[in-house]
Amino acid sequence: MKLLTHNMLTSHVKGVTKGYPLLIKATEVKVNEVEFNPQFVSRMIPKVEWSCLVQAAEQLGHRQDLPGELVPDYEKNEEFLKKVHRVLLEVEVIEGCLQCPESGREFPISRGIPNMLLNEDEV
Amino acid sequence: MEEAASQLERDHVHSVYDKIAPYFNDSRYKAWPKVRQFLLDLEAGSIVADIGCGNGKYLHINKEVFKLGCDVCRPLVDFAWSQGHEVQMCDGLHLPYRDGCFDAVLSIAVIHHLSTKERRIRAIKEMARTLRVGGRIMIYVWAMEQKRRKFEKQDIFVPWNPNPQSSSGFSREHAKPRRRATAQSVSEAIDNTDKHRKVRSTSSVADEEDLTCTTPQQRTQRLWFFSRSLDSVFDFGSLAISRSSSRDLSTLSSPTGENEGNKATHRGRGRGLIKQVSSFFSPPSVIGSEEDVFDSVTDLHKGQNGSGGSSSNNNNNTPNSNGTENQSASVSLTQECGSLALPDLVPFQKEHLKQSGDESDGGPPGKELQESTQSPQGSEGQVEGSCLRYYHVFREGELAELIENYVEELHVKQTYFDHANWCVVAEKVHSLCDRLIHI
C-alpha cells in the first residue's frame, strides 16, 4: 500500500463519522524505486490531504524533511517534488494494519494489500 | 432480503471467483477498447478507481494517471498486486474511500453480479460518492439482448467453463515485472495482440469471460440457468417466498408442448434459486403474490426419480397446504440443492444452437427450448453447481434508467452497446451534501 493510496482510504465502519485518516501501524515497510515524473507529482498534490500525508509518512518513520505545509510554487520546485514523489509513491507498507481513529477497528494489510472488508455487524 | 441477497452473492459470485481466479490470469481477459480509451483520455495526474478490478487488467493503462483497484476476490487481487498495481480488498457496497477523491471510476462487468435492484443502485451511489464533482464513471454490464440471441430472463446462473485457452503469447503476462514502469511496453505489446484476438472471437456474448472462448472443436455445452429475480421472489413487506413449479433436468427429456409446456418450465426455473435461500427464512404463513406460480413441492420428489413429469399444475395452492409443505420441504430442498446443484433450473443449451448454425438465435424462445430439451442428459455431468455464477443481465436502457431515477448526483452522458454489454458513462454533477444545503 502506497501512501497515495492511504490518503484516499477511510474507515467506513457503521456509525463512524470521523474515520479519516486511518492510522498506520506497519510491521514491514519497503521503499521501491519509482520513475520520477514531476508533472504527475505536481498534479497529485492538490488532490492529496497534505496533513494526512505528512502524518502517515511520520508514522512510518519516513517523513525525513517533508514540510508540514505545502511550499508555494511547488510546481517548479524539483527538490520538493522529489520528496513528495518519494513519500507518495516509493514508500510502501507491506505488512501491518490501518486503524480507524474513531472506533479503533483495525484493517489488516498483508502482502501489500489492505483488507477493508467489513464484517456483518459493522455494516 | 438483504441476507438472502448477500448469501446468493457469496455462493454464486464470490466463492466462484475465488475458485476460478487462477483461470482469469490467462489471455481471455482483455481490456475492452472503449474502456481503454476512457482511461487514455483522462487528464494527466488524474486518480482513477477500478471498482471490481478483478485481476487488474485495466490498471496498467495510462501511465500518466494514478490507478487503484479493489475487489472482493483475494486471489484476483493478489494477482493484480503481483503485476505492480495498488489494490485493496473491499466490497462495492461499502467503499473505503473518502468522498470525492477520484477523478474517474470504472465499474466494468461488476454490478450485474448484484442480486437485487436496490443493491445495484447502492453500488452506483457508492461509486458516485467517491467521484469528485465533474468526474466521470464508466459502467459496463452484461446485456440481455445479445447480437445473436437474447437471454430469456434477466436473472441467470452461468456455469463456469474452464476450457483451456488456445495457445498464444499471453503467458508473457505472468512474467510482467513488479515495477510498473518497465512493464508498460510489455503490456502494450500484449494489448495489441489482444485486439486482434478479440476481433476473431465468435460468440456474441463476447465479453472477457468463458462464453467467448468456444472454439468449434469444443463440444462443451453451454448452459444458462434461468431464475427469478430476488426482487420478484421476495415481498419486501411480508418476506413471502415464492415457489415455482419444480422440474428436473431429466423431466425435460420428454418433449414438451409448445407454449404451455414452455411456460411450465419457465416457471420451474425459479425453484433452484429459492432453494438456495429458503433455509434463511422460516416458512412463511403467507405465500407470495399474484405473480407467483406455485406448485406442490411433491413434484420435486417425483422429478428426482427421473420419471418424466407431465406439465405441472401452475395454479397456486392454498396458503395453508403450502405452509405445511414448506416446513418439511425447505430442509430437504437445501440438502438436495447441495447434491444436485440447482437441478431443476432449465438449461438453455446455447451450444446446441450454435451447432445448428446460429439460425435459431433470433428465433422464438419456444422453438429454442424444444431443441434444447432433446438432449439434456449429457449436460448434468458437466454442470458444476458450485461454479454457477449469478448474473442479472440488463435490458436496453435499464442501466441508464437506474441512474436517472435513483442517482441524482450522476448525469448520464453516453449510453451504448459494446460487445454484449450495455454501457453508460455518467458525470457527477453535484454532491449529495451540496444538494441538501441548497434545499
Side-chain angles (χ1 to χ4, degrees):
Chain A
M1 181 200 70
K2 302 189 181 198
L3 292 186
L4 178 48
T5 302
H6 167 261
N7 204 272
M8 310 298 141
L9 290 173
T10 180
S11 165
H12 49 316
V13 174
K14 184 169 71 179
V16 163
T17 51
K18 293 193 179 73
Y20 181 88
L22 290 157
L23 293 108
I24 314 181
K25 297 179 177 178
T27 54
E28 188 187 330
V29 178
K30 262 175 62 182
V31 182
N32 304 308
E33 204 180 295
V34 175
E35 199 183 317
F36 175 58
N37 179 340
Q39 191 205 44
F40 181 88
V41 178
S42 175
R43 287 180 184 231
M44 278 306 143
I45 288 170
K47 302 184 181 181
V48 154
E49 288 283 320
W50 188 256
S51 55
C52 165
L53 178 66
V54 175
Q55 188 184 84
E58 185 121 5
Q59 282 168 7
L60 295 182
H62 280 274
R63 181 181 171 176
Q64 296 182 349
D65 53 353
L66 193 71
E69 265 160 38
L70 273 178
V71 310
D73 291 329
Y74 58 77
E75 297 92 335
K76 300 188 181 92
N77 187 335
E78 193 167 289
E79 201 189 305
F80 175 75
L81 290 178
K82 279 193 170 148
K83 291 178 191 172
V84 180
H85 166 83
R86 196 181 154 277
V87 162
L88 276 182
L89 301 171
E90 292 189 330
V91 175
E92 258 190 292
V93 180
I94 306 297
E95 300 287 331
C97 71
L98 296 170
Q99 188 177 42
C100 172
E102 188 178 315
S103 68
R105 203 297 200 184
E106 288 183 352
F107 297 93
I109 303 175
S110 71
R111 301 194 293 273
I113 298 167
N115 184 344
M116 310 302 293
L117 286 167
L118 293 170
N119 302 322
E120 273 154 31
D121 52 317
E122 297 171 309
V123 154
Chain B
M1 166 71 127
E2 191 66 7
E3 205 186 313
S6 308
Q7 186 66 42
L8 174 67
E9 290 157 20
R10 267 201 289 282
D11 291 342
H12 291 290
V13 180
H14 306 169
S15 62
V16 176
Y17 278 105
D18 280 345
K19 285 190 196 105
I20 68 181
Y23 298 98
F24 270 64
N25 300 330
D26 54 27
S27 57
R28 68 183 98 177
Y29 306 107
K30 317 148 190 80
W32 295 105
K34 289 197 164 104
V35 181
R36 163 180 281 110
Q37 201 51 50
F38 176 85
L39 289 167
L40 291 172
D41 289 343
L42 294 172
E43 203 179 62
S46 295
I47 304 184
V48 192
D50 184 350
I51 309 297
C53 66
N55 66 349
K57 69 175 183 272
Y58 292 108
L59 296 174
H60 66 85
I61 299 169
N62 194 344
K63 283 195 302 184
E64 305 298 316
V65 305
F66 181 71
K67 297 140 301 216
L68 57 81
C70 65
D71 205 290
V72 291
C73 177
R74 180 96 217 187
L76 288 175
V77 165
D78 280 342
F79 181 78
W81 166 259
S82 73
Q83 302 298 295
H85 305 308
E86 276 295 277
V87 279
Q88 302 85 52
M89 299 274 296
C90 74
D91 160 16
L93 294 174
H94 306 98
L95 294 176
Y97 310 111
R98 54 183 168 88
D99 295 359
C101 64
F102 298 132
D103 298 294
V105 171
L106 289 181
S107 170
I108 308 302
V110 181
I111 65 173
H112 54 205
H113 284 310
L114 290 168
S115 56
T116 69
K117 177 176 166 180
E118 192 247 342
R119 286 162 82 83
R120 296 186 283 266
I121 292 167
R122 273 165 55 198
I124 298 172
K125 285 181 89 74
E126 255 298 84
M127 292 187 282
R129 177 185 68 74
T130 63
L131 204 49
R132 65 156 169 88
V133 173
R136 291 203 170 188
I137 177 170
M138 173 176 266
I139 306 177
Y140 267 52
V141 291
W142 274 24
M144 188 181 181
E145 309 89 338
Q146 302 288 326
K147 269 207 191 93
R148 291 185 213 148
R149 67 181 62 77
K150 184 176 161 161
F151 288 105
E152 288 178 51
K153 290 283 177 74
Q154 287 190 264
D155 296 277
I156 63 173
F157 290 88
V158 177
W160 168 253
N161 176 26
N163 282 315
Q165 284 308 288
S166 45
S167 64
S168 60
F170 295 99
S171 54
R172 276 180 283 153
E173 196 128 22
H174 292 279
K176 245 198 272 187
R178 174 77 176 78
R179 301 274 161 77
R180 200 179 358 140
T182 48
Q184 201 57 34
S185 54
V186 174
S187 61
E188 289 300 335
I190 291 174
D191 289 339
N192 289 332
T193 357
D194 283 345
K195 280 180 209 153
H196 294 304
R197 266 201 60 135
K198 194 193 284 292
V199 166
R200 287 203 296 274
S201 107
T202 53
S203 168
S204 65
V205 186
D207 91 340
E208 67 250 5
E209 297 170 347
D210 51 284
L211 295 166
T212 316
C213 297
T214 328
T215 62
Q217 306 87 294
Q218 288 166 358
R219 311 283 294 181
T220 312
Q221 292 164 326
R222 300 265 184 263
L223 304 173
W224 289 298
F225 295 87
F226 299 104
S227 181
R228 298 195 49 178
S229 158
L230 270 185
D231 289 316
S232 69
V233 162
F234 293 101
D235 221 60
F236 280 79
S238 66
L239 275 191
I241 299 175
S242 77
R243 297 281 196 75
S244 16
S245 58
S246 61
R247 276 285 173 267
D248 189 349
L249 280 178
S250 53
T251 65
L252 294 173
S253 52
S254 42
T256 55
E258 286 278 347
N259 291 323
E260 284 166 20
N262 292 338
K263 261 191 212 157
T265 46
H266 275 246
R267 290 180 179 126
R269 289 166 192 162
R271 222 182 50 78
L273 171 62
I274 309 315
K275 291 199 302 190
Q276 289 277 314
V277 298
S278 63
S279 58
F280 298 95
F281 292 83
S282 48
S285 49
V286 177
I287 305 290
S289 66
E290 60 275 7
E291 279 182 67
D292 301 330
V293 184
F294 302 121
D295 213 281
S296 164
V297 297
T298 54
D299 279 356
L300 164 69
H301 302 290
K302 283 183 204 155
Q304 296 305 349
N305 300 327
S307 52
S310 51
S311 295
S312 67
N313 173 1
N314 292 326
N315 296 324
N316 288 347
N317 286 330
T318 61
N320 290 335
S321 64
N322 259 7
T324 1
E325 281 163 355
N326 287 347
Q327 277 169 355
S328 53
S330 59
V331 171
S332 58
L333 286 178
T334 45
Q335 286 165 352
E336 278 143 7
C337 205
S339 57
L340 286 172
L342 309 176
D344 62 335
L345 290 180
V346 175
F348 182 72
Q349 293 188 10
K350 178 168 174 266
E351 194 55 31
H352 186 92
L353 297 176
K354 277 181 91 86
Q355 288 159 22
S356 61
D358 283 346
E359 276 139 29
S360 53
D361 283 350
K367 179 173 182 281
E368 290 171 337
L369 194 57
Q370 274 200 313
E371 287 182 313
S372 73
T373 56
Q374 272 150 29
S375 53
Q377 285 86 350
S379 62
E380 273 187 56
Q382 296 183 31
V383 172
E384 286 220 34
S386 56
C387 279
L388 288 173
R389 275 176 300 168
Y390 169 80
Y391 286 87
H392 170 87
V393 293
F394 281 65
R395 283 177 287 103
E396 178 169 8
E398 184 183 338
L399 179 59
E401 271 164 40
L402 269 190
I403 295 172
E404 280 152 15
N405 297 336
Y406 298 98
V407 190
E408 55 172 77
E409 326 76 287
L410 292 180
H411 178 70
V412 174
K413 304 296 276 186
Q414 287 175 48
T415 68
Y416 57 90
F417 185 85
D418 181 14
H419 287 95
N421 296 289
W422 286 116
C423 318
V424 162
V425 175
E427 185 175 303
K428 183 150 174 191
V429 291
H430 62 74
S431 74
L432 283 179
C433 312
D434 289 348
R435 192 73 161 162
L436 287 170
I437 289 167
H438 288 131
I439 290 167

